[in-house]
Amino acid sequence: MAGLFGYTLALADDALISAQRMSWWISRAPQLEEDVALANIGLDQLGQARLLLAYAGEVEAAGRGEDDLAYLRDEREFRNVCLVEREQTDFGVTMARLLIFSAWQCELYAALSRSADATLAGVAGKAVKEVAYHLDHASRWVVRLGDGTDVSHQRMQAGLDAEWPWAAELFDDAFLDTGLVDSGVAALPSSLRDAVDAGVSAVIDEATLTRPDVATHYSAGRDGRHTEQLGFLLAEMQHLARSHPGATW
Amino acid sequence: MVTTTTGRAWGVAAAVLDPELPVLTIGELGILRDVVEDDRGRVHVQITPTYSGCPAMETIREELVEALTRAGYWHVDVEFVLAPAWTTDWMTAEARTKLSTYGVAPPVPRPRAGEPVLLQISVRCPQCGSLDTQESSRFGSTACKSLWVCRECREPFDHFKSH
Ligand SMILES: [Zn+2]
């Protein structure tokens, strides 16, 4: 069961791994403005991850800082949901994922901005304003592509179908020590589901897309069991820090 | 220890320029939150980031230490605080005027609680003053700016987003 350290780490890893995937788009987005947008979204997520990782390190009190936690943990020690770690080389997939992920982050950070833990409340109070932009950006693209041409509609639907089954893990309470919820520190994951669902469904409707009717994937990223794609992501993300221990700019 | 917004240390700290918008000081931007100095030349400064991922914070910290050290303080420490979250409402009127002169459209007043966060409000072109402008990208050269274009003078410009 995740206590305050594990909970903070899980939220940090969601943001960190999502940021790393987002950065893949730099120089590859369909237009220059989108390149800048996805880089900025990734940067916001990275900023949130850094604050949360630094706090997780403080809570753990074992001398690990944000860099140690980001660069020196192995795959099994990462606690992010599998939703964010998979490759996203299709723009429709990226927008479908960002829609789901940012809708969830909006609800999560809104709830955490009232956390009994002052640091979590502070991080969330800043982040909630940032992720509102991400959600708005994803929503506009999903509507534009879904309600666009036959091809864009079909590809946007395919992206949504691909991402939807991975969303369930965001709302899974099993990993969390419920004492953290009782004491007002953590937000109970399942309590966020209805609001996220309603927000995402409204966008899907406006985009003339169909809510995917697909089975949920089994995923256990919160327990450290990841898809094979996380290993490749970490190899790239951690390469420099591991090859040159202690290197600084 | 004395907290002050009028003391000498506050004045020195508040005059440090923002590295990404070098016409504005951190005092005018509202990033500087608190300065506490004692009578033995020690000073403690609190600053808050505009955005969580703002890459300018490290530079600002270094410049604060340098400026206060040069002003004779022998012990300077800089703390990052997150709450209450920074908002463009803290930006001073001078800052808004300076931004506009610099060619960046200043933030427009934020919607009140309960209103949609991303309410579309006209942004005045800093070049010709026209309100006939259009957002071309919600995300610009830094986290705090979006990219706009003026339909009157046809020039693109940056807008400091309301936040
Ligand atoms: Zn103009």
Side-chain angles (χ1 to χ4, degrees), chain B residues 74-87:
Chain B
W74 64 272
H75 181 92
V76 181
D77 75 303
V78 180
E79 184 190 0
F80 294 159
V81 291
L82 294 172
W86 176 84
T87 154

Side-chain angles (χ1 to χ4, degrees), chain B residues 125 127-128 130 150 152-153:
Chain B
C125 169
Q127 271 108 17
C128 74
S130 170
C150 175
E152 189 68 37
C153 71

Side-chain angles (χ1 to χ4, degrees), chain A residues 4-5 8-13 16 45-70 73 117 119-120 123, chain B residues 52 58 61 80 82:
Chain A
L4 183 55
F5 170 68
T8 306
L9 197 60
L11 304 186
D13 287 347
L16 177 65
Q45 294 173 339
L46 183 63
Q48 295 154 17
R50 289 187 58 186
L51 295 170
L52 290 166
L53 283 174
Y55 185 50
E58 250 175 64
V59 170
E60 187 191 36
R64 290 201 283 183
E66 52 174 299
D67 283 357
D68 303 307
L69 289 169
R73 278 181 301 150
D117 183 290
T119 304
L120 287 182
V123 173
Chain B
S52 306
E58 269 314 314
R61 181 213 293 268
F80 294 159
L82 294 172

Side-chain angles (χ1 to χ4, degrees), chain A residues 168-201:
Chain A
E169 199 183 353
L170 293 168
F171 309 107
D172 192 348
D173 299 335
F175 81 104
L176 188 63
D177 172 359
T178 50
L180 281 182
V181 177
D182 300 338
S183 57
V185 168
L188 186 69
S190 59
S191 71
L192 307 172
R193 178 164 222 150
D194 288 349
V196 173
D197 215 324
V200 170
S201 295

Side-chain angles (χ1 to χ4, degrees), chain A residues 6 12 20 35 43 52 66 115 143 150 154 185 207 219:
Chain A
Q20 180 70 14
D35 227 273
L43 182 63
L52 290 166
E66 52 174 299
S115 170
V143 170
D150 287 346
Q154 180 224 320
V185 168
S219 61

